[in-house]
Short mmCIF file of all heavy atoms in Angstrom, two decimals:
data_model
loop_
_atom_site.label_atom_id
_atom_site.label_comp_id
_atom_site.label_asym_id
_atom_site.label_seq_id
_atom_site.Cartn_x
_atom_site.Cartn_y
_atom_site.Cartn_z
N GLN F 18 0.65 -8.51 -76.50
CA GLN F 18 0.88 -7.64 -75.34
C GLN F 18 0.23 -6.27 -75.54
O GLN F 18 -0.38 -5.70 -74.60
CB GLN F 18 2.37 -7.41 -75.09
CG GLN F 18 3.16 -8.67 -74.81
CD GLN F 18 3.75 -9.27 -76.07
OE1 GLN F 18 3.08 -9.50 -77.08
NE2 GLN F 18 5.05 -9.52 -76.05
N ALA F 21 -3.47 -6.67 -75.18
CA ALA F 21 -3.86 -6.81 -73.75
C ALA F 21 -3.92 -5.42 -73.09
O ALA F 21 -4.87 -5.12 -72.38
CB ALA F 21 -2.84 -7.71 -73.04
N TYR F 25 -7.52 -4.28 -71.67
CA TYR F 25 -7.73 -4.17 -70.21
C TYR F 25 -7.86 -2.74 -69.74
O TYR F 25 -8.56 -2.47 -68.75
CB TYR F 25 -6.64 -4.91 -69.45
CG TYR F 25 -6.84 -6.41 -69.51
CD1 TYR F 25 -6.16 -7.20 -70.42
CD2 TYR F 25 -7.79 -7.03 -68.72
CE1 TYR F 25 -6.38 -8.56 -70.53
CE2 TYR F 25 -8.04 -8.41 -68.81
CZ TYR F 25 -7.32 -9.15 -69.72
OH TYR F 25 -7.59 -10.50 -69.81
N TYR F 32 -13.75 -5.04 -64.33
CA TYR F 32 -13.17 -6.36 -64.29
C TYR F 32 -13.45 -7.12 -62.96
O TYR F 32 -13.67 -8.32 -62.96
CB TYR F 32 -11.65 -6.32 -64.56
CG TYR F 32 -11.06 -7.72 -64.62
CD1 TYR F 32 -11.13 -8.44 -65.80
CD2 TYR F 32 -10.54 -8.33 -63.49
CE1 TYR F 32 -10.65 -9.76 -65.86
CE2 TYR F 32 -10.06 -9.64 -63.53
CZ TYR F 32 -10.11 -10.33 -64.72
OH TYR F 32 -9.67 -11.62 -64.76
N GLY F 65 1.19 -9.67 -63.97
CA GLY F 65 -0.11 -9.50 -64.65
C GLY F 65 -1.23 -9.48 -63.61
O GLY F 65 -2.32 -9.95 -63.88
N GLY F 66 -0.94 -8.90 -62.48
CA GLY F 66 -1.88 -8.92 -61.34
C GLY F 66 -3.06 -8.00 -61.50
O GLY F 66 -4.00 -8.02 -60.72
N GLY F 67 -3.04 -7.17 -62.53
CA GLY F 67 -4.21 -6.35 -62.89
C GLY F 67 -4.74 -5.48 -61.75
O GLY F 67 -4.02 -4.75 -61.10
N HIS F 71 -6.39 -11.00 -56.74
CA HIS F 71 -5.71 -12.07 -56.01
C HIS F 71 -4.61 -11.52 -55.11
O HIS F 71 -4.25 -12.13 -54.10
CB HIS F 71 -5.22 -13.14 -56.96
CG HIS F 71 -6.34 -13.78 -57.73
ND1 HIS F 71 -7.43 -14.40 -57.10
CD2 HIS F 71 -6.64 -13.84 -59.05
CE1 HIS F 71 -8.30 -14.82 -57.99
NE2 HIS F 71 -7.84 -14.49 -59.17
N ASP F 87 1.98 -5.06 -64.15
CA ASP F 87 0.97 -5.28 -65.18
C ASP F 87 1.20 -4.29 -66.33
O ASP F 87 1.75 -3.20 -66.13
CB ASP F 87 -0.45 -5.10 -64.62
CG ASP F 87 -1.53 -5.75 -65.47
OD1 ASP F 87 -1.88 -5.16 -66.52
OD2 ASP F 87 -2.00 -6.84 -65.09
N ILE F 88 0.75 -4.66 -67.49
CA ILE F 88 0.94 -3.85 -68.71
C ILE F 88 -0.13 -2.77 -68.82
O ILE F 88 0.05 -1.80 -69.58
CB ILE F 88 0.97 -4.74 -69.95
CG1 ILE F 88 1.75 -4.10 -71.09
CG2 ILE F 88 -0.41 -5.15 -70.40
CD1 ILE F 88 2.15 -5.05 -72.19
N SER F 89 -1.23 -2.93 -68.10
CA SER F 89 -2.35 -1.99 -68.23
C SER F 89 -2.39 -0.97 -67.09
O SER F 89 -2.69 -1.30 -65.93
CB SER F 89 -3.69 -2.78 -68.24
OG SER F 89 -4.76 -1.92 -67.91
N MET F 92 -5.79 -0.93 -65.21
CA MET F 92 -5.99 -2.04 -64.24
C MET F 92 -5.22 -1.71 -62.95
O MET F 92 -5.72 -1.88 -61.84
CB MET F 92 -5.52 -3.37 -64.80
CG MET F 92 -6.38 -3.92 -65.91
SD MET F 92 -8.01 -4.52 -65.37
CE MET F 92 -7.67 -6.21 -64.92
N ALA F 114 4.68 -2.65 -66.55
CA ALA F 114 5.69 -3.25 -67.39
C ALA F 114 5.08 -4.44 -68.14
O ALA F 114 4.06 -4.99 -67.72
CB ALA F 114 6.88 -3.72 -66.55
N ASP F 115 5.77 -4.81 -69.22
CA ASP F 115 5.40 -6.02 -69.96
C ASP F 115 6.17 -7.20 -69.34
O ASP F 115 7.39 -7.27 -69.42
CB ASP F 115 5.83 -5.81 -71.42
CG ASP F 115 5.53 -7.01 -72.30
OD1 ASP F 115 5.21 -8.09 -71.77
OD2 ASP F 115 5.67 -6.88 -73.54
N VAL F 116 5.42 -8.14 -68.75
CA VAL F 116 6.06 -9.22 -68.03
C VAL F 116 6.59 -10.33 -68.94
O VAL F 116 7.13 -11.33 -68.46
CB VAL F 116 5.17 -9.84 -66.93
CG1 VAL F 116 4.74 -8.79 -65.93
CG2 VAL F 116 3.95 -10.54 -67.52
N ASN F 137 -1.51 -15.17 -62.87
CA ASN F 137 -2.89 -15.62 -63.06
C ASN F 137 -3.45 -15.08 -64.37
O ASN F 137 -3.65 -13.87 -64.52
CB ASN F 137 -3.76 -15.19 -61.88
CG ASN F 137 -3.26 -15.87 -60.60
OD1 ASN F 137 -3.00 -17.06 -60.61
ND2 ASN F 137 -3.12 -15.11 -59.52
N ILE F 139 -2.06 -14.72 -67.27
CA ILE F 139 -1.24 -13.99 -68.23
C ILE F 139 -0.83 -14.86 -69.41
O ILE F 139 -0.59 -14.35 -70.51
CB ILE F 139 0.01 -13.33 -67.60
CG1 ILE F 139 0.89 -14.34 -66.89
CG2 ILE F 139 -0.36 -12.19 -66.71
CD1 ILE F 139 2.26 -13.78 -66.50
N HIS F 142 -2.43 -14.48 -72.78
CA HIS F 142 -2.15 -13.30 -73.62
C HIS F 142 -0.80 -13.46 -74.29
O HIS F 142 -0.01 -12.52 -74.37
CB HIS F 142 -2.23 -12.03 -72.78
CG HIS F 142 -3.62 -11.81 -72.26
ND1 HIS F 142 -4.65 -11.37 -73.06
CD2 HIS F 142 -4.17 -12.07 -71.04
CE1 HIS F 142 -5.77 -11.32 -72.37
NE2 HIS F 142 -5.52 -11.76 -71.12
C1 LIG J 312 -7.53 -11.77 -67.13
S1 LIG J 312 -6.62 -10.47 -66.41
C2 LIG J 312 -6.18 -11.18 -64.86
C3 LIG J 312 -5.74 -10.17 -63.84
C4 LIG J 312 -5.30 -10.86 -62.52
N1 LIG J 312 -4.12 -11.68 -62.73
C5 LIG J 312 -6.40 -11.67 -61.94
O1 LIG J 312 -6.33 -12.90 -62.06
O2 LIG J 312 -7.34 -11.05 -61.39
C6 LIG J 312 -5.06 -10.56 -67.29
C7 LIG J 312 -4.11 -9.47 -66.88
O3 LIG J 312 -2.82 -9.74 -67.49
C8 LIG J 312 -2.29 -8.49 -67.90
N2 LIG J 312 -1.31 -8.78 -68.96
C9 LIG J 312 -1.50 -9.46 -70.12
N3 LIG J 312 -0.36 -9.57 -70.81
C10 LIG J 312 0.59 -8.92 -70.06
C11 LIG J 312 1.96 -8.68 -70.24
N4 LIG J 312 2.63 -9.11 -71.31
N5 LIG J 312 2.64 -7.99 -69.30
C12 LIG J 312 1.97 -7.55 -68.18
N6 LIG J 312 0.66 -7.73 -67.95
C13 LIG J 312 -0.03 -8.43 -68.89
C14 LIG J 312 -3.49 -7.69 -68.36
O4 LIG J 312 -3.23 -6.29 -68.42
C15 LIG J 312 -4.52 -8.06 -67.28
O5 LIG J 312 -4.46 -7.20 -66.17
#
Side-chain angles (χ1 to χ4, degrees):
Q18 299 93 307
Y25 284 99
Y32 185 84
H71 299 302
D87 199 283
I88 205 165
S89 160
M92 289 290 272
D115 178 349
V116 302
N137 297 315
I139 57 169
H142 296 284

